[in-house]
Amino acid sequence: MDRHIPFETLHNFRDLGGYLTSSGHRVRAGRLYRADSLGKLRPGTPDWDRFLALGVRTVIDLRHPWEAEARGRVPEHPSFTYQNLSIEHRPYDQAALMPDVDPGPYLSARFMEVAQDGTKEIAAALELVAEAHADEPVVFHCASGKDRTGQLAAIVLGLLGVPDEVIIEDFSLTELAAPALLAEWRACNDGRSPAWPSFGRAPESVMRLFLEALRARYGSLESYVTDALGRDAEALSATLRNRLLEPAPTTWPELTHRRAEPLDAPLLVRLRDTAALWQLARGIEQWQPGEKAEAHFVDRMRDGEVWLAYADGAVAGAFELWWDDPAAWGPRPPEAGYIHRLMTAPHIAPPGAGRRMLAQAESRITAAGRPYARLDCLSTNPRLRAYYESAGYTVVGEQRAKEGGTGSPYAVTLLEKRLGRG
């Protein structure tokens, strides 16, 4: 489920494998990684052993040379080569920015500076990625693994044919690491907090605006590679695709389910936040990351049921099952089960996983002797409403002022399915 690879000292080390391209291929897993500073690694530690076990053969450090000198570079080892390619030529201090600076326009403008200033280094980094042997993994990193790293990841994924919304989603996954990155900054700065509230954050608007600006300036990503980087975009793209793509799966594992326990609460928070970032990258504002803490899921386990879905041992999704829902439906007799937070793991869940989880929830409701399955969705989310209608649910009303614990009532569409009928 989680694209982040766990380390003690690294907070934003991720595999770029698993994303689907527009042509129906998939980025190979274990071949290309993005990370925060590998200078935090130390030989003789479990983190160092974990890193070496990945088989990385090329490390690309996108930081300024003075950063690598002052804060450390990855320790030397005969198993890999190290290249320092500083793609940023105009350094700036994010921590010192004023609180009113909007991260979307501000950071996307800095990305455009990098795209125009760092052409020599960006081109060299792309060639290192493209020319690596098919079975020799590459990792590139900067300080937090967010901006410079995110920009290079966007260019590589774009040349592979990965759609914009997935590129935006990949950038925004740093949001999951933002609390740890902030804590690390505070620990290195006598416990102080950055002046900029958005320090360490990666809202989807940054990458969305950058991709728009790059196309407005150059026409397309390929034209940028050709005109600004001086490389044959078609040839470079073909080399990258040959090295990093594989056919998409044609068969998928069966989905299995188990009832969640309190120890699963951190996993459920992570799954929900990941799903929220997937939605936001596609312009869907149903959820926001950070809205539900572990206590929410523990409470739902106590008062109802929470289920996890697995595909070949990996978490593929989850849902909550309530036995009443007065906030949306008002007082009702015990005639229904109420399905909430149906969520699938992006890029991991098999096709149709959502429908199969709905079927699992409906079977639990039937086993409880209740004839109706009910759920709701934001009235401003017609895409989700259409999904539930296609699964046999019928719109039966609207609650214009549902209170969800945030202090801001919102309107939801109410949907219902009679169980036990064809």
Side-chain angles (χ1 to χ4, degrees), residues 78-296:
S79 65
F80 60 80
T81 61
Y82 170 82
Q83 297 284 339
N84 185 200
L85 297 169
S86 177
I87 66 174
E88 180 185 89
H89 291 200
R90 288 180 258 183
Y92 58 102
D93 185 357
Q94 290 193 25
L97 294 174
M98 292 294 99
D100 61 348
V101 173
D102 186 338
Y106 181 83
L107 289 178
S108 63
R110 303 292 76 73
F111 285 19
M112 281 301 295
E113 289 178 355
V114 170
Q116 294 169 318
D117 294 346
T119 53
K120 177 181 176 182
E121 294 82 5
I122 292 172
L126 289 172
E127 288 174 348
L128 285 171
V129 173
E131 293 170 2
H133 189 274
D135 295 323
E136 296 184 346
V138 175
V139 59
F140 52 91
H141 76 89
C142 54
S144 63
K146 178 170 74 82
D147 299 320
R148 290 165 285 187
T149 296
Q151 190 166 348
L152 182 60
I155 295 172
V156 172
L157 292 175
L159 289 172
L160 289 173
V162 173
D164 277 7
E165 60 267 22
V166 179
I167 295 172
I168 294 167
E169 175 194 351
D170 178 74
F171 173 78
S172 70
L173 285 175
T174 289
E175 290 278 283
L176 301 179
L181 294 171
L182 178 59
E184 182 178 82
W185 190 94
R186 287 172 172 156
C188 294
N189 290 272
D190 301 320
R192 294 183 295 112
S193 293
W196 196 36
S198 295
F199 178 83
R201 300 289 307 278
E204 55 83 24
S205 59
V206 177
M207 184 54 65
R208 189 186 306 279
L209 291 171
F210 167 64
L211 293 175
E212 291 174 356
L214 192 73
R215 291 197 177 97
R217 173 68 176 81
Y218 296 99
S220 67
L221 174 60
E222 291 74 17
S223 294
Y224 166 72
V225 171
T226 299
D227 300 339
L229 303 187
R231 298 298 187 271
D232 184 330
E234 184 176 351
L236 180 60
S237 176
T239 303
L240 286 168
R241 294 180 188 210
N242 183 61
R243 171 172 128 65
L244 291 171
L245 296 186
E246 63 184 4
T250 56
T251 60
W252 297 86
E254 289 296 317
L255 214 61
T256 60
H257 298 85
R258 75 168 176 86
R259 194 161 172 177
E261 302 173 353
L263 286 176
D264 296 312
L267 183 153
L268 289 159
V269 170
R270 190 83 167 185
L271 177 58
R272 186 192 181 280
D273 287 350
T274 302
L277 293 171
W278 183 95
Q279 293 173 8
L280 291 171
R282 290 154 180 81
I284 303 169
E285 296 188 2
Q286 176 85 10
W287 293 347
Q288 295 290 329
E291 286 179 325
K292 300 297 179 186
E294 293 176 21
H296 165 84

Side-chain angles (χ1 to χ4, degrees), residues 344-355:
T344 58
H347 316 289
I348 293 176
R355 288 288 185 90

Side-chain angles (χ1 to χ4, degrees), residues 259-260 268 296-297 299-308 318-325 335-343 357-370 372-375 393 419:
R259 194 161 172 177
L268 289 159
H296 165 84
F297 292 101
D299 288 345
R300 298 323 309 170
M301 293 174 205
R302 183 192 66 237
D303 298 336
E305 299 180 5
V306 181
W307 286 81
L308 285 163
F319 65 87
E320 299 172 13
L321 182 57
W322 302 8
W323 298 116
D324 64 351
D325 186 5
E335 61 186 3
Y338 300 84
I339 303 167
H340 285 272
R341 264 164 287 286
L342 180 75
M343 47 192 175
M357 285 192 291
L358 278 177
Q360 171 71 8
E362 291 161 6
S363 71
R364 293 292 299 169
I365 296 168
T366 299
R370 301 190 178 200
Y372 294 101
R374 291 174 179 154
L375 46 82
Y393 286 78
L419 304 179

